[in-house]
Amino acid sequence: MKALILVGGFGTRLRPLTLSVPKPLVDFANKPIILHQIEALVKAGVSDIVLAVNYKPEVMVAVLKKYEEKFGITITFSVEEEPLGTAGPLALARNILGKDDSPFFVLNADVTCEYPFESMRDFHLAHGNEGTILATKVEEPSKYGVIVMRQGSTQIDRFVEKPVEFVGNRINAGIYMFSPSILDRIEPRPTSIEKEIFPQMAGDRQLHTFDLEGFWMDIGQPKDFLTGTCLYLSSLAKRSPEQLAPATEDFVCGGNVLVHPTAKIGQGCKIGPNVTIGPNVVVGNGVCLQRCVLMEDVHIKDYAWVKNSIVGWHSSVGRWSRLDGVTVLGDDVHVLDEVYVNGASVLPHKSISSNVCEPGIVM
């Protein structure tokens, strides 16, 4: 089987992290975002993966070569000369996606969930039509495009954009499965799969919805990256609690704490809930961490407080300093002692020596 991952461009929404690393390689729960997806696709029997990109960073080529060898799969880059929307990349990769009669997955690189690829594949093959959309239920459907199904069926009738009256609560989760015949509907030009192709397919009664169980999040920007981390850790606590730090550890406060085996944690710390600590991180004494992500080689010095923040690779936070308000430190950023940073996006290789009280970009 095959899969197309829509990666896109430079990951501007997730800056300053993507100034140093291509978005698919940013660590999410101590593993590159794209590796979560590749592992789940391989488990469902996928052997050919196409990455639809606007540019081809050499660092990504090298990392994905390792994944090819590790999983025994083929990963191909499909580079767009111009942005082709969400459907055009399928036409561009037609030679791989349409090389046989087997169906293929399409997914957005920014989406995290429990990736039910195996059950979705079985559902798609059972209904025998052209497409399946993974749907997630939301509490406020008026913010989204809502999927309306035919009475007593999984078949999609139509889509309603930001409905004023309640017509349903299922929305498109950004993961699909298609039979190769969909490629006949798509030309190699900028095309929206959601606005142009799906309504056609629904009109032809060729499109079904498959309900996603569990969490779902688009993690393409920092505040959602943090929310997605919380949802992922809660899911991990149910599915594989042994991967999390046990509640019996003195430093665990509130649970859902993921600590890399190489990290070192000092005395008297309060860590949790919802914290990810990456490889070779050093956490000093008396540190408080809540709802935050610490990337590789970070140093949090004694009595610092980090909350609602992402600390990028090789960065440090000084003694008695505090980060809050969705602060994001890029690569190699150093916050000096006794400094308060609120809601700042700090570009790589900076040093912060005075308080940053208002949210903004620090260049």
Side-chain angles (χ1 to χ4, degrees), residues 318-349:
R319 286 169 56 91
W320 297 100
S321 287
R322 176 167 182 155
L323 310 184
D324 204 346
V326 195
T327 287
V328 185
L329 306 185
D331 180 26
D332 184 39
V333 170
H334 302 284
V335 176
L336 303 189
D337 294 349
E338 299 180 31
V339 171
Y340 172 59
V341 183
N342 174 43
S345 288
V346 186
L347 271 59
H349 315 300

Side-chain angles (χ1 to χ4, degrees), residues 86-335:
T86 48
L90 278 74
L92 199 62
R94 177 190 295 268
N95 62 325
I96 295 173
L97 301 179
K99 70 178 182 178
D100 57 31
D101 292 337
S102 68
F104 58 87
F105 292 103
V106 175
L107 55 150
N108 289 312
D110 293 346
V111 168
T112 182
C113 62
E114 289 177 12
Y115 302 124
F117 293 133
E118 291 164 280
S119 50
M120 190 175 176
R121 172 202 63 206
D122 295 343
F123 172 81
H124 179 82
L125 293 171
H127 70 63
N129 288 149
E130 204 166 81
T132 302
I133 295 179
L134 189 66
T136 185
K137 295 177 183 177
V138 293
E139 290 181 6
E140 290 186 51
S142 59
K143 291 181 179 177
Y144 305 92
V146 172
I147 298 168
V148 181
M149 290 161 8
R150 295 182 187 276
Q151 194 78 34
S153 168
T154 60
Q155 211 169 60
I156 294 173
D157 180 49
R158 66 191 193 280
F159 301 87
V160 181
E161 192 62 36
K162 296 183 179 173
V164 178
E165 295 179 356
F166 184 84
V167 291
N169 65 346
R170 287 176 175 83
I171 66 164
N172 178 348
I175 296 177
Y176 320 118
M177 189 163 212
F178 300 125
S179 300
S181 55
I182 190 180
L183 298 171
D184 298 332
R185 299 179 183 268
I186 304 169
E187 297 172 26
R189 60 173 178 82
T191 312
S192 165
I193 201 165
E194 299 86 358
K195 292 179 180 168
E196 295 175 61
I197 308 302
F198 286 166
Q200 280 179 30
M201 293 172 71
D204 294 341
R205 299 197 171 201
Q206 286 294 315
L207 197 55
H208 291 252
T209 181
F210 180 73
D211 283 350
L212 171 68
E213 302 298 328
F215 78 98
W216 175 88
M217 198 72 208
D218 177 326
I219 54 173
Q221 51 190 347
K223 70 179 176 62
D224 296 333
F225 190 95
L226 285 168
T227 301
T229 299
C230 297
L231 294 169
Y232 177 85
L233 293 175
S234 295
S235 170
L236 205 58
K238 293 175 192 158
R239 292 181 292 121
S240 304
E242 70 282 355
Q243 294 186 40
L244 298 173
T248 50
E249 288 277 11
D250 289 345
F251 61 80
V252 173
C253 184
N256 291 2
V257 177
L258 182 65
V259 182
H260 193 274
T262 58
K264 295 182 173 63
I265 294 172
Q267 301 296 310
C269 294
K270 296 288 183 191
I271 300 177
N274 299 314
V275 174
T276 301
I277 297 175
N280 303 312
V281 168
V282 177
V283 177
N285 297 326
V287 167
C288 185
L289 305 174
Q290 291 180 355
R291 201 175 186 271
C292 63
V293 174
L294 311 182
M295 303 283 191
E296 185 170 2
D297 286 330
V298 162
H299 187 186
I300 308 294
K301 296 179 183 175
D302 296 352
Y303 309 109
W305 175 300
V306 181
K307 182 179 181 183
N308 291 322
S309 299
I310 302 170
V311 182
W313 311 268
H314 319 110
S315 294
S316 65
V317 177
R319 286 169 56 91
W320 297 100
S321 287
R322 176 167 182 155
L323 310 184
D324 204 346
V326 195
T327 287
V328 185
L329 306 185
D331 180 26
D332 184 39
V333 170
H334 302 284
V335 176

Side-chain angles (χ1 to χ4, degrees), residues 59-98:
V59 62
M60 207 148 90
V61 176
V63 171
L64 292 169
K65 196 81 193 156
K66 291 180 193 166
Y67 296 163
E68 279 189 315
E69 291 164 9
K70 180 179 177 184
F71 297 110
I73 58 175
T74 304
I75 299 175
T76 310
F77 283 87
S78 179
V79 184
E80 302 169 24
E81 302 283 324
E82 57 168 339
L84 291 175
T86 48
L90 278 74
L92 199 62
R94 177 190 295 268
N95 62 325
I96 295 173
L97 301 179

